[in-house]
Amino acid sequence: MHSVKRLCLAHFWVAFAFFAAACAIGTWQMWVRSPLGASVGTPGQYYMLVTAHGVALAFVLTTFFIMGFGYFVATTALDRQLPGKAWAWGAYWLAVVGVVVAFAPIMNGQASVLYTFYPPLTGSAWFYIGLVLLVVASWIWAVLMMVAMTAWKRENPGRPVPLAMFATVANAVMWLWTTVGVAVQLLFQVIPAALGLVHTIDVGLSRTLFSWTLHAIVYFWLIPAYIAFYTMVPRAAGGRLYSDTMGRLTFILFLVYSLPVGLHHLLMDPEHGNATKFIQVVLTAFVSVPTLLTIFTITASLEIAGRLRGGRGPFGWIATLPWDRPMVLATGLSFVMLGFGGFGGLINMGYGMNAMVHNTSWVTAHFHLIFGGSVVIMYFAICYEIWPRLTGREHPTLSLLRLQLWSWFVGMMVMTLPWHWLGLQGQWRRVANFNYADPIIAGWGPWVIVSLIGGIILLASALLFLRNLAVLHRGAVLAVARPLYAIAVHPPQRVPAVLNSFGLWNVLVLVLMLVAYGLPIAQFLIEPSPSAIVHRMR
Amino acid sequence: MTEIHQELHERRILGTELLWAFGVGVLIAAILSMIVFTALSIGVNPPSNVERLDPKALHLSGEFAEDNLGTSVGSDGRVVVRVIATQFAFLPRCIPVPVGRPVTLRFVAPDVLHGLLISGTNVNTMVVPGYVAQVHTEFTRTGDLLMPCHEYCGLGHSEMWATVQVLPENQFQPDSNGRVSCAQR
């Protein structure tokens, strides 16, 4: 495996240490918001820990996991050494320093601005500087992924890049585009404000730049799950990938459509007109295409596996699938959560319908279900698949793996379905404590307690996950590793250059970004918003 | 499998994918048509009046000076509500509105980002410093509704809410200046 084992494990353990801590913090938050813990904690503690929870999960878990997974794919799918390994370690330590620098002020209560840090509220400048270091580290990773693919193509002229690596590079390219918005916002607006160099800020421009990043970042987190769907699940189920071409198209569509859609997070904002909002709603509708194509292709791949195992009839193949294998089980559970979450997402993007749910618990429920549910459960499955290859040890039993996946699924459903309901009732977001004496709020109490139970199940599942990985650092040596990556029904011999590189697609991204964000950003340069005074929280 | 068979089979796979993609296209077209239809026929649009206003001078004069806050009925009978969202309260804290009549709600923030919803209705907007957020609505039932701040605005965020009193027509009585106050209970 070309000796990136330590590099991968170093990334993954940082990711999952923060993940487990964040789960504990999240459960505490739900307790103090419920009628049971109504007198516990101060708002200062609450928002400090909400910030820690969000930063740990949205930035630390994701970035470290994706970087580690990228290095794994670059060496296994391409079957060659990772170029620039010293750079990879440098990026790792830069990211670690960034996380330490960001978390020091958070845990000091000097950066309780939540992970979305909306100005003109600002926290300690160190918080933002730490985040910038983390992003710069991820840029090094993105460049290394592109370098690895280019080097492989030079050695294998005319051959199609293995799908897992093609998808990883699609994600790296998308990430470079994605981070431009937030980088400009941080470097030119927020950090000068936090340092006290400027005292006013254009909030309209700031929100627009942040929205540039806000949606595509979610696809950055999600693509590893889709890499598993296309390149690992068909093999784990004992079948073949239905179509390699559709896989390539899917990842290209993610690159193209994830970016020019961020304004749908600002549908309820007064600084943009209906026309620009509507354009991005149309583009948002198209971002459902790669997911809907994936559902079809992966279901077809699983059907091949089910029929090879003797399944008959229109649905008989479902029962014959090897559901005892973690990767297959996780995929089934992930699809169920993706179904619920996708439906909720259609309502969020619904232009007018967004008013019903904007900034209510519905939204919190939506991204916990989609990201925390359908994506993170695939992070688990990926780890269960590749950890034995990293440590050279065998899972002592699969039943605890299945228990962990099931409990994560059950916990996520029990937590988020009541949140959806409460959001429709008008329960709003980001509240340290509710006044259950109010007659409208009193009726929410039982559902809040139900969702707390879901949170406790999730915490237990997170701890079991750590245990399942930890035991793979000792124990029985792996006899022989099965092949990991799936073969397509028709393995591609040659693919058109557009399905093997990203040059054309970058041009298309540029055009779409000009259409979608040209005017929304230019309006602030032509006529800036009346500036708002910076509010420092220290 | 001979080469010709393989190619036919590959085309069949592509055919099924394209058929599915066509279905996806129909679904998206249906969703977008519905959005366009409701926007044009019954005016379902997000709150998007791009109206700039200096957040640093709200209190000095003009529409959002203290005297003008709250509910007022114009000479043409239009009901307009003007509210300041500030750390950590809405001014005024109680907002009377009539049932069954068009109401225009106008919000500004002098300090940081806020947002609001009115429970049980589709009233929902962000309040961004530098802009007037405006929502048109009609309240269909009488009674007290909650109007919380729904965007994190600082450590006192949870304490920031107002009450919307939806009054029957006979209790919604403007004074000689066209101003309406909440009913005392």
Side-chain angles (χ1 to χ4, degrees):
Chain A
M1 228 199 73
H2 303 294
S3 68
V4 290
K5 292 176 180 171
R6 283 187 53 223
L7 183 67
C8 295
L9 286 169
H11 281 83
F12 290 153
W13 275 116
V14 172
F16 294 123
F18 276 81
F19 162 73
C23 288
I25 290 170
T27 310
W28 178 85
Q29 286 164 222
M30 293 176 61
W31 177 48
V32 305
R33 281 160 56 101
S34 76
L36 306 176
S39 57
V40 181
T42 64
Q45 291 164 345
Y46 183 82
Y47 291 115
M48 176 181 92
L49 290 174
V50 176
T51 308
H53 176 84
V55 172
L57 291 176
F59 303 146
V60 183
L61 164 68
T62 51
T63 311
F64 275 84
F65 177 79
I66 291 165
M67 288 166 71
F69 186 48
Y71 297 131
F72 177 84
V73 170
T75 46
T76 53
L78 299 183
D79 196 19
R80 68 192 297 283
Q81 296 280 350
L82 180 72
K85 202 171 143 196
W87 281 94
W89 275 110
Y92 171 77
W93 286 110
L94 184 63
V96 168
V97 169
V99 168
V100 171
V101 168
F103 264 90
I106 292 175
M107 300 320 285
N108 240 341
Q110 294 181 326
S112 298
V113 289
L114 311 195
Y115 75 113
T116 44
F117 50 82
Y118 292 130
L121 216 55
T122 54
S124 161
W126 291 110
F127 168 65
Y128 308 105
I129 292 168
L131 294 184
V132 169
L133 295 179
L134 180 62
V135 170
V136 170
S138 72
W139 285 345
I140 298 173
W141 167 84
V143 171
L144 287 175
M145 290 300 103
M146 292 192 277
V147 168
M149 187 178 89
T150 310
W152 184 90
K153 281 169 89 168
R154 208 178 303 123
E155 292 159 8
N156 300 272
R159 283 183 57 202
V161 177
L163 183 58
M165 190 59 191
F166 184 76
T168 300
V169 176
N171 204 16
V173 173
M174 187 185 80
W175 181 237
L176 292 177
W177 279 101
T178 302
T179 41
V180 170
V182 77
V184 172
Q185 186 211 17
L186 283 174
L187 295 177
F188 292 99
Q189 290 194 299
V190 177
I191 290 177
L195 287 172
L197 303 175
V198 296
H199 301 290
T200 61
I201 193 163
D202 183 334
V203 182
L205 175 61
S206 172
R207 285 179 67 67
T208 307
L209 290 171
F210 192 75
S211 83
W212 168 312
T213 301
L214 188 52
H215 198 71
I217 194 173
V218 183
Y219 286 92
F220 173 64
W221 306 338
L222 175 143
I223 282 184
Y226 279 61
I227 294 175
F229 289 155
Y230 278 97
T231 70
M232 298 179 182
V233 171
R235 166 80 76 178
R240 286 194 166 204
L241 174 60
Y242 188 61
S243 166
D244 181 89
T245 310
M246 292 316 274
R248 284 167 200 275
L249 258 180
T250 293
F251 291 107
I252 288 168
L253 287 173
F254 273 132
L255 165 63
V256 172
Y257 281 115
S258 299
L259 282 148
V261 300
L263 220 60
H264 71 230
H265 291 258
L266 306 185
L267 285 179
M268 294 298 123
D269 271 40
E271 75 274 13
H272 291 291
N274 279 333
T276 46
K277 287 177 183 174
F278 182 73
I279 288 172
Q280 294 216 11
V281 165
V282 173
L283 291 166
T284 305
F286 283 98
V287 88
S288 63
V289 172
T291 292
L292 291 169
L293 293 181
T294 301
I295 301 280
F296 180 81
T297 306
I298 301 311
T299 306
S301 309
L302 289 174
E303 183 181 342
I304 293 171
R307 293 202 187 282
L308 285 173
R309 297 168 62 88
R312 296 272 172 273
F315 300 107
W317 56 270
I318 298 175
T320 54
L321 284 171
W323 293 111
D324 56 323
R325 297 181 190 165
M327 182 62 84
V328 179
L329 175 63
T331 302
L333 299 176
S334 175
F335 272 25
V336 173
M337 293 189 278
L338 198 59
F340 280 97
F343 174 75
L346 287 179
I347 293 185
N348 297 344
M349 63 144 273
Y351 193 61
M353 269 199 287
N354 184 260
M356 206 162 63
V357 295
H358 175 75
N359 267 2
T360 67
S361 299
W362 174 284
V363 175
T364 326
H366 171 71
F367 67 72
H368 277 81
L369 187 54
I370 281 275
F371 170 63
S374 46
V375 173
V376 169
I377 206 168
M378 294 310 294
Y379 287 10
F380 297 154
I382 289 169
C383 287
Y384 289 152
E385 198 72 38
I386 71 177
W387 221 267
R389 292 171 167 80
L390 293 173
T391 62
R393 313 276 175 171
E394 196 110 54
H395 288 293
T397 160
L398 293 186
S399 56
L400 284 178
L401 275 51
R402 290 192 291 267
L403 175 66
Q404 192 271 323
L405 295 170
W406 271 111
S407 57
W408 189 259
F409 169 76
V410 170
M412 194 56 77
M413 295 301 263
V414 172
M415 180 174 80
T416 57
L417 291 185
W419 281 359
H420 277 96
W421 173 247
L422 289 166
L424 287 178
Q425 304 300 304
Q427 188 191 68
W428 57 103
R429 275 179 81 179
R430 299 182 152 174
V431 186
N433 42 55
F434 284 110
N435 172 21
Y436 287 100
D438 184 288
I440 295 174
I441 297 174
W444 299 347
W447 289 113
V448 177
I449 294 173
V450 170
S451 64
L452 169 62
I453 294 168
I456 293 167
I457 297 171
L458 288 173
L459 176 58
S461 178
L463 296 175
L464 180 57
F465 172 67
L466 290 197
R467 180 246 167 232
N468 285 345
L469 294 186
V471 297
L472 286 179
H473 287 267
R474 40 190 157 66
V477 172
L478 185 65
V480 61
R482 298 185 289 113
L484 177 63
Y485 295 111
I487 298 170
V489 174
H490 297 287
Q493 302 304 320
R494 299 260 157 195
V495 293
V498 288
L499 294 182
N500 210 30
S501 59
F502 297 98
L504 173 72
W505 306 114
N506 277 319
V507 175
L508 190 57
V509 171
L510 181 66
V511 171
L512 283 173
M513 284 307 270
L514 282 174
V515 170
Y517 270 101
L519 194 61
I521 289 178
Q523 69 166 351
F524 300 107
L525 307 178
I526 298 162
E527 188 186 350
S529 316
S531 58
I533 296 167
V534 173
H535 279 60
R536 299 196 180 86
M537 287 200 75
R538 292 163 290 144
Chain B
M1 214 170 1
T2 65
E3 207 148 279
I4 188 89
H5 275 112
Q6 184 159 346
E7 199 180 319
L8 283 176
H9 187 247
E10 218 170 330
R11 278 210 199 142
R12 238 190 85 212
I13 286 185
L14 187 66
T16 58
E17 295 274 10
L18 289 177
L19 189 64
W20 174 262
F22 177 74
V24 170
V26 170
L27 178 73
I28 288 173
I31 290 172
L32 290 176
S33 313
M34 192 61 82
I35 289 173
V36 172
F37 176 73
T38 51
L40 296 178
S41 64
I42 52 173
V44 178
N45 284 299
S48 314
N49 65 312
V50 184
E51 185 181 340
R52 290 170 165 80
L53 193 63
D54 186 359
K56 301 181 286 303
L58 295 175
H59 58 293
L60 298 178
S61 64
E63 187 184 347
F64 289 92
E66 191 182 336
D67 287 352
N68 293 327
L69 297 181
T71 308
S72 64
V73 183
S75 50
D76 53 354
R78 279 184 60 221
V79 183
V80 180
V81 179
R82 295 179 180 87
V83 179
I84 287 186
T86 182
Q87 290 177 321
F88 297 104
F90 289 102
L91 308 173
R93 287 165 182 271
C94 182
I95 298 161
V97 291
V99 72
R101 270 169 70 181
V103 176
T104 300
L105 304 160
R106 288 169 65 77
F107 303 92
V108 289
D111 44 30
V112 298
L113 186 67
H114 299 279
L116 62 96
L117 58 80
I118 300 180
S119 60
T121 75
N122 286 333
V123 174
N124 195 327
T125 184
M126 299 302 294
V127 187
V128 177
Y131 293 85
V132 181
Q134 179 169 283
V135 182
H136 303 286
T137 192
E138 203 173 301
F139 295 90
T140 52
R141 277 194 306 266
T142 57
D144 284 6
L145 302 175
L146 261 181
M147 190 179 91
C149 175
H150 70 27
E151 185 53 87
Y152 176 65
C153 56
L155 298 184
H157 167 58
S158 314
E159 307 304 319
M160 181 169 169
W161 76 84
T163 305
V164 175
Q165 271 190 9
V166 188
L167 300 171
E169 197 59 41
N170 60 354
Q171 285 178 37
F172 186 79
Q173 298 294 346
D175 65 14
S176 55
N177 294 321
R179 323 270 316 156
V180 188
S181 305
C182 270
Q184 298 300 315
R185 300 207 174 122

